[in-house]
Amino acid sequence: MSGDSQQSSVWPARERPNLICPAQLPPRSHSRAGFSLIEMLVTLALMLIIFVMLYGRGSASFQRQQKTACRNNLMTLYMALDLYSRENNGAFPAKVGASTAETPLALLVPKYTTTLAPFICPGTKDSPLTENQSLDGRAISYAYYMGLRSTDTNAPLMSDRQVNANAKQLNDPVFSANGKGPGSNHHKYGGNILLCGGEVESIGVKAQCALPAADNVKLLNPRK
């Protein structure tokens, strides 16, 4: 064999490749460093469920915030009611034959208030009202005790939508216990009650004291 052919068949030492036999290869690991697409989707879905449970419309934390905003609504409405009573010998709005809260409360608009946003409880999905329009034929979120006077300081005057229009005794249900209507402005977490003196009390599902409706007082729930 010639020298040329000998050189072509032999690798020089400095150029010889570092060959590894198959038997020398390390075993392939079956472990994975990342998440699969399905695992990521499942994780995101669980995070979304937890978020809705903690902060969704039906959660306790969400409704606590909304009950505070609802309280402010009722206090705003009381200013209009108080102005009305001062100009009507102490009587709050009343209208013969009224069957829903909107009918007597329509007497407040536009003379005593032109802002209709407070008539909608923020804890509900009730449709917002167009400003500067009558409440007749519209739907609000609050119940109203028609027939009271400003001197009835400890009597309930308005409240979140109630389960029914009956007078309530101690421990009678006032608001929804399961988050379903009627009476579910704040899901299953009670509601607010505005008194004739202007105070607003936040209660649970049941009456903490009697909520009377005298013969001349009629509890009117809003339209459904």
Side-chain angles (χ1 to χ4, degrees):
M1 185 179 293
S2 65
D4 292 340
S5 61
Q6 200 171 17
Q7 286 183 353
S8 62
S9 61
V10 179
W11 288 89
R14 65 178 179 273
E15 298 179 4
R16 185 177 299 124
N18 186 18
L19 299 176
I20 301 177
C21 297
Q24 296 176 305
L25 292 174
R28 182 176 296 178
S29 174
H30 294 286
S31 62
R32 294 176 298 173
F35 292 98
S36 70
L37 178 60
I38 294 177
E39 289 171 333
M40 292 178 65
L41 291 175
V42 170
T43 301
L44 289 173
L46 290 174
M47 291 175 64
L48 179 60
I49 292 171
I50 293 172
F51 179 84
V52 171
M53 290 175 63
L54 292 177
Y55 302 104
R57 181 174 292 274
S59 69
S61 58
F62 177 86
Q63 289 301 337
R64 276 196 299 269
Q65 297 174 359
Q66 300 310 307
K67 282 177 80 172
T68 300
C70 172
R71 174 189 179 92
N72 294 335
N73 274 1
L74 290 171
M75 293 177 70
T76 299
L77 293 175
Y78 179 77
M79 290 190 288
L81 289 163
D82 185 52
L83 287 174
Y84 182 96
S85 70
R86 290 174 186 271
E87 293 188 4
N88 290 272
N89 298 317
F92 290 113
K95 203 165 186 179
V96 176
S99 59
T100 64
E102 291 85 358
T103 302
L105 292 177
L107 298 173
L108 298 175
V109 184
K111 184 175 180 180
Y112 302 98
T113 182
T114 57
T115 303
L116 301 186
F119 286 98
I120 300 298
C121 174
T124 70
K125 295 182 180 180
D126 293 342
S127 301
L129 301 173
T130 304
E131 299 295 333
N132 299 315
Q133 292 189 6
S134 172
L135 288 182
D136 284 330
R138 317 293 289 282
I140 65 174
S141 303
Y142 296 110
Y144 177 62
Y145 287 84
M146 186 178 70
L148 291 164
R149 304 182 63 84
S150 58
T151 52
D152 301 316
T153 52
N154 293 322
L157 179 60
M158 290 186 69
S159 75
D160 282 294
R161 183 185 282 108
Q162 298 190 21
V163 293
N164 56 50
N166 300 332
K168 310 298 189 300
Q169 301 302 318
L170 178 64
N171 291 325
D172 280 351
V174 180
F175 304 116
S176 173
N178 58 11
K180 299 180 181 179
S184 59
N185 280 14
H186 299 286
H187 200 62
K188 57 182 180 180
Y189 302 105
N192 290 312
I193 297 178
L194 170 68
L195 304 180
C196 289
E199 301 85 3
V200 178
E201 295 185 358
S202 181
I203 69 169
V205 170
K206 296 182 178 180
Q208 297 177 345
C209 61
L211 300 175
D215 292 339
N216 62 322
V217 177
K218 185 177 182 181
L219 173 58
L220 302 172
N221 257 332
R223 292 186 180 89
K224 295 182 180 180

